[in-house]
Short mmCIF file of all heavy atoms in Angstrom, two decimals:
data_model
loop_
_atom_site.label_atom_id
_atom_site.label_comp_id
_atom_site.label_asym_id
_atom_site.label_seq_id
_atom_site.Cartn_x
_atom_site.Cartn_y
_atom_site.Cartn_z
N ASP A 109 -9.74 31.55 -15.88
CA ASP A 109 -8.59 32.36 -15.51
C ASP A 109 -7.45 32.02 -16.47
O ASP A 109 -7.53 31.04 -17.21
CB ASP A 109 -8.16 32.09 -14.07
CG ASP A 109 -7.27 33.20 -13.51
OD1 ASP A 109 -7.01 34.17 -14.26
OD2 ASP A 109 -6.83 33.09 -12.36
N ALA A 110 -6.41 32.83 -16.43
CA ALA A 110 -5.24 32.51 -17.25
C ALA A 110 -4.62 31.20 -16.75
O ALA A 110 -4.67 30.90 -15.56
CB ALA A 110 -4.22 33.64 -17.16
N PRO A 111 -4.06 30.40 -17.64
CA PRO A 111 -3.48 29.12 -17.21
C PRO A 111 -2.33 29.32 -16.23
O PRO A 111 -1.59 30.31 -16.32
CB PRO A 111 -2.99 28.49 -18.51
CG PRO A 111 -3.33 29.42 -19.61
CD PRO A 111 -3.92 30.65 -19.06
N PRO A 112 -2.16 28.39 -15.29
CA PRO A 112 -1.01 28.46 -14.38
C PRO A 112 0.29 28.29 -15.15
O PRO A 112 0.31 27.85 -16.30
CB PRO A 112 -1.24 27.28 -13.42
CG PRO A 112 -2.66 26.87 -13.62
CD PRO A 112 -3.02 27.24 -15.02
N SER A 113 1.40 28.60 -14.51
CA SER A 113 2.70 28.42 -15.14
C SER A 113 3.06 26.93 -15.18
O SER A 113 2.82 26.19 -14.23
CB SER A 113 3.77 29.18 -14.36
OG SER A 113 5.07 28.85 -14.84
N ILE A 114 3.64 26.53 -16.29
CA ILE A 114 4.10 25.15 -16.44
C ILE A 114 5.55 25.00 -16.00
O ILE A 114 6.10 23.88 -15.97
CB ILE A 114 3.92 24.67 -17.90
CG1 ILE A 114 3.96 23.15 -17.98
CG2 ILE A 114 4.97 25.32 -18.80
CD1 ILE A 114 3.71 22.61 -19.37
N ALA A 115 6.17 26.10 -15.62
CA ALA A 115 7.59 26.10 -15.25
C ALA A 115 7.96 25.08 -14.17
O ALA A 115 9.04 24.46 -14.24
CB ALA A 115 8.02 27.50 -14.82
N PRO A 116 7.10 24.84 -13.13
CA PRO A 116 7.49 23.89 -12.08
C PRO A 116 7.71 22.47 -12.57
O PRO A 116 8.41 21.69 -11.90
CB PRO A 116 6.32 23.96 -11.09
CG PRO A 116 5.75 25.33 -11.29
CD PRO A 116 5.87 25.58 -12.77
N THR A 117 7.15 22.09 -13.71
CA THR A 117 7.32 20.73 -14.21
C THR A 117 8.03 20.67 -15.56
O THR A 117 8.54 19.61 -15.94
CB THR A 117 5.96 20.02 -14.38
OG1 THR A 117 5.14 20.75 -15.31
CG2 THR A 117 5.24 19.91 -13.04
N PHE A 118 8.09 21.77 -16.28
CA PHE A 118 8.67 21.77 -17.62
C PHE A 118 10.17 21.49 -17.58
O PHE A 118 10.92 22.19 -16.88
CB PHE A 118 8.40 23.10 -18.31
CG PHE A 118 8.95 23.18 -19.72
CD1 PHE A 118 8.44 22.37 -20.72
CD2 PHE A 118 9.99 24.05 -20.03
CE1 PHE A 118 8.94 22.44 -22.01
CE2 PHE A 118 10.49 24.12 -21.32
CZ PHE A 118 9.97 23.31 -22.31
N MET A 119 10.61 20.46 -18.27
CA MET A 119 12.02 20.07 -18.37
C MET A 119 12.63 19.75 -17.01
O MET A 119 13.83 19.91 -16.79
CB MET A 119 12.84 21.16 -19.06
CG MET A 119 12.46 21.41 -20.51
SD MET A 119 12.78 20.00 -21.59
CE MET A 119 14.58 19.97 -21.56
N GLN A 120 11.82 19.26 -16.10
CA GLN A 120 12.30 18.92 -14.76
C GLN A 120 12.63 17.44 -14.60
O GLN A 120 12.96 16.99 -13.51
CB GLN A 120 11.25 19.32 -13.71
CG GLN A 120 10.99 20.81 -13.63
CD GLN A 120 12.25 21.60 -13.30
OE1 GLN A 120 12.93 21.30 -12.32
NE2 GLN A 120 12.56 22.60 -14.11
N LEU A 121 12.53 16.67 -15.67
CA LEU A 121 12.79 15.24 -15.59
C LEU A 121 14.27 14.97 -15.29
O LEU A 121 15.15 15.72 -15.70
CB LEU A 121 12.39 14.55 -16.88
CG LEU A 121 13.16 14.82 -18.17
CD1 LEU A 121 12.78 13.81 -19.24
CD2 LEU A 121 12.90 16.23 -18.69
N ASP A 122 14.50 13.87 -14.57
CA ASP A 122 15.87 13.47 -14.20
C ASP A 122 16.20 12.16 -14.93
O ASP A 122 15.93 11.07 -14.42
CB ASP A 122 15.95 13.28 -12.69
CG ASP A 122 17.36 12.93 -12.21
OD1 ASP A 122 18.26 12.79 -13.07
OD2 ASP A 122 17.55 12.78 -10.99
N ILE A 123 16.77 12.28 -16.12
CA ILE A 123 17.06 11.10 -16.94
C ILE A 123 18.20 10.29 -16.34
O ILE A 123 18.15 9.06 -16.30
CB ILE A 123 17.40 11.52 -18.38
CG1 ILE A 123 16.20 12.26 -19.01
CG2 ILE A 123 17.77 10.30 -19.22
CD1 ILE A 123 16.49 12.81 -20.39
N LEU A 124 19.22 10.95 -15.82
CA LEU A 124 20.36 10.24 -15.22
C LEU A 124 19.91 9.41 -14.02
O LEU A 124 20.36 8.28 -13.82
CB LEU A 124 21.45 11.23 -14.82
CG LEU A 124 22.18 11.94 -15.97
CD1 LEU A 124 23.22 12.92 -15.42
CD2 LEU A 124 22.85 10.92 -16.89
N GLY A 125 19.04 9.98 -13.21
CA GLY A 125 18.52 9.24 -12.06
C GLY A 125 17.73 8.02 -12.49
O GLY A 125 17.74 6.98 -11.83
N ALA A 126 17.02 8.14 -13.62
CA ALA A 126 16.21 7.03 -14.12
C ALA A 126 17.05 5.93 -14.74
O ALA A 126 16.57 4.82 -14.95
CB ALA A 126 15.19 7.54 -15.13
N LEU A 127 18.30 6.23 -15.08
CA LEU A 127 19.17 5.23 -15.69
C LEU A 127 19.82 4.31 -14.66
O LEU A 127 20.51 3.36 -15.03
CB LEU A 127 20.26 5.92 -16.52
CG LEU A 127 19.79 6.60 -17.81
CD1 LEU A 127 20.92 7.39 -18.44
CD2 LEU A 127 19.23 5.56 -18.78
N LYS A 128 19.62 4.58 -13.39
CA LYS A 128 20.19 3.73 -12.36
C LYS A 128 19.52 2.36 -12.37
O LYS A 128 18.34 2.23 -12.71
CB LYS A 128 20.03 4.39 -10.99
CG LYS A 128 20.82 5.69 -10.84
CD LYS A 128 20.62 6.31 -9.48
CE LYS A 128 21.40 7.60 -9.33
NZ LYS A 128 21.20 8.24 -8.02
N GLY A 129 20.24 1.35 -11.99
CA GLY A 129 19.76 -0.02 -12.07
C GLY A 129 18.49 -0.29 -11.30
O GLY A 129 17.66 -1.10 -11.71
N GLY A 130 18.30 0.40 -10.17
CA GLY A 130 17.15 0.13 -9.33
C GLY A 130 15.81 0.46 -9.97
O GLY A 130 14.77 -0.01 -9.52
N ILE A 131 15.83 1.28 -10.99
CA ILE A 131 14.56 1.69 -11.61
C ILE A 131 14.37 1.02 -12.97
O ILE A 131 13.44 1.35 -13.72
CB ILE A 131 14.51 3.23 -11.75
CG1 ILE A 131 13.06 3.73 -11.84
CG2 ILE A 131 15.33 3.71 -12.94
CD1 ILE A 131 12.92 5.23 -11.75
N LEU A 132 15.19 0.03 -13.27
CA LEU A 132 15.08 -0.67 -14.55
C LEU A 132 13.71 -1.29 -14.74
O LEU A 132 13.12 -1.22 -15.82
CB LEU A 132 16.16 -1.75 -14.64
CG LEU A 132 16.10 -2.67 -15.87
CD1 LEU A 132 16.30 -1.87 -17.15
CD2 LEU A 132 17.15 -3.77 -15.76
N ASN A 133 13.19 -1.91 -13.67
CA ASN A 133 11.88 -2.56 -13.81
C ASN A 133 10.77 -1.55 -14.02
O ASN A 133 9.75 -1.84 -14.65
CB ASN A 133 11.58 -3.43 -12.59
CG ASN A 133 11.44 -2.62 -11.31
OD1 ASN A 133 12.29 -1.78 -11.03
ND2 ASN A 133 10.40 -2.86 -10.55
N VAL A 134 10.95 -0.34 -13.50
CA VAL A 134 9.96 0.72 -13.72
C VAL A 134 9.88 1.08 -15.20
O VAL A 134 8.80 1.17 -15.78
CB VAL A 134 10.30 1.97 -12.88
CG1 VAL A 134 9.37 3.12 -13.24
CG2 VAL A 134 10.22 1.65 -11.40
N VAL A 135 11.05 1.26 -15.81
CA VAL A 135 11.10 1.55 -17.24
C VAL A 135 10.46 0.41 -18.03
O VAL A 135 9.71 0.64 -18.98
CB VAL A 135 12.55 1.78 -17.70
CG1 VAL A 135 12.61 1.95 -19.22
CG2 VAL A 135 13.15 2.99 -17.01
N LEU A 136 10.75 -0.84 -17.63
CA LEU A 136 10.19 -2.00 -18.32
C LEU A 136 8.68 -2.02 -18.23
O LEU A 136 7.98 -2.31 -19.22
CB LEU A 136 10.78 -3.28 -17.73
CG LEU A 136 10.35 -4.60 -18.39
CD1 LEU A 136 10.77 -4.62 -19.85
CD2 LEU A 136 10.94 -5.80 -17.64
N VAL A 137 8.14 -1.72 -17.05
CA VAL A 137 6.68 -1.69 -16.90
C VAL A 137 6.06 -0.61 -17.78
O VAL A 137 5.09 -0.86 -18.50
CB VAL A 137 6.30 -1.46 -15.42
CG1 VAL A 137 4.81 -1.16 -15.29
CG2 VAL A 137 6.66 -2.67 -14.58
N PHE A 138 6.61 0.59 -17.71
CA PHE A 138 6.10 1.67 -18.57
C PHE A 138 6.11 1.23 -20.03
O PHE A 138 5.13 1.40 -20.75
CB PHE A 138 6.96 2.93 -18.40
CG PHE A 138 6.63 3.76 -17.20
CD1 PHE A 138 7.65 4.27 -16.39
CD2 PHE A 138 5.33 4.06 -16.87
CE1 PHE A 138 7.35 5.04 -15.28
CE2 PHE A 138 5.02 4.83 -15.76
CZ PHE A 138 6.04 5.32 -14.96
N PHE A 139 7.22 0.67 -20.47
CA PHE A 139 7.39 0.29 -21.87
C PHE A 139 6.38 -0.78 -22.29
O PHE A 139 5.71 -0.66 -23.32
CB PHE A 139 8.81 -0.20 -22.11
CG PHE A 139 9.03 -0.82 -23.46
CD1 PHE A 139 9.05 -0.04 -24.61
CD2 PHE A 139 9.18 -2.19 -23.59
CE1 PHE A 139 9.23 -0.61 -25.86
CE2 PHE A 139 9.38 -2.78 -24.83
CZ PHE A 139 9.40 -1.99 -25.96
N LEU A 140 6.27 -1.85 -21.50
CA LEU A 140 5.38 -2.96 -21.86
C LEU A 140 3.93 -2.51 -21.90
O LEU A 140 3.19 -2.82 -22.84
CB LEU A 140 5.55 -4.11 -20.88
CG LEU A 140 6.86 -4.90 -20.97
CD1 LEU A 140 6.93 -5.95 -19.87
CD2 LEU A 140 7.02 -5.54 -22.33
N VAL A 141 3.51 -1.77 -20.87
CA VAL A 141 2.12 -1.33 -20.82
C VAL A 141 1.81 -0.35 -21.95
O VAL A 141 0.77 -0.44 -22.61
CB VAL A 141 1.79 -0.70 -19.45
CG1 VAL A 141 0.37 -0.15 -19.45
CG2 VAL A 141 1.95 -1.74 -18.35
N GLU A 142 2.74 0.58 -22.20
CA GLU A 142 2.55 1.52 -23.32
C GLU A 142 2.43 0.77 -24.64
O GLU A 142 1.60 1.11 -25.49
CB GLU A 142 3.73 2.49 -23.37
CG GLU A 142 3.76 3.52 -22.25
CD GLU A 142 5.16 4.11 -22.04
OE1 GLU A 142 6.09 3.72 -22.78
OE2 GLU A 142 5.30 4.94 -21.14
#
């Protein structure tokens, strides 16, 4: 079939929310493992 729309996830990231202190360790884990 034709591919579904990517609109529900495209450019939906929340960078400001991720910059909050509580998620610092999450960024660190992603970075180290990557």
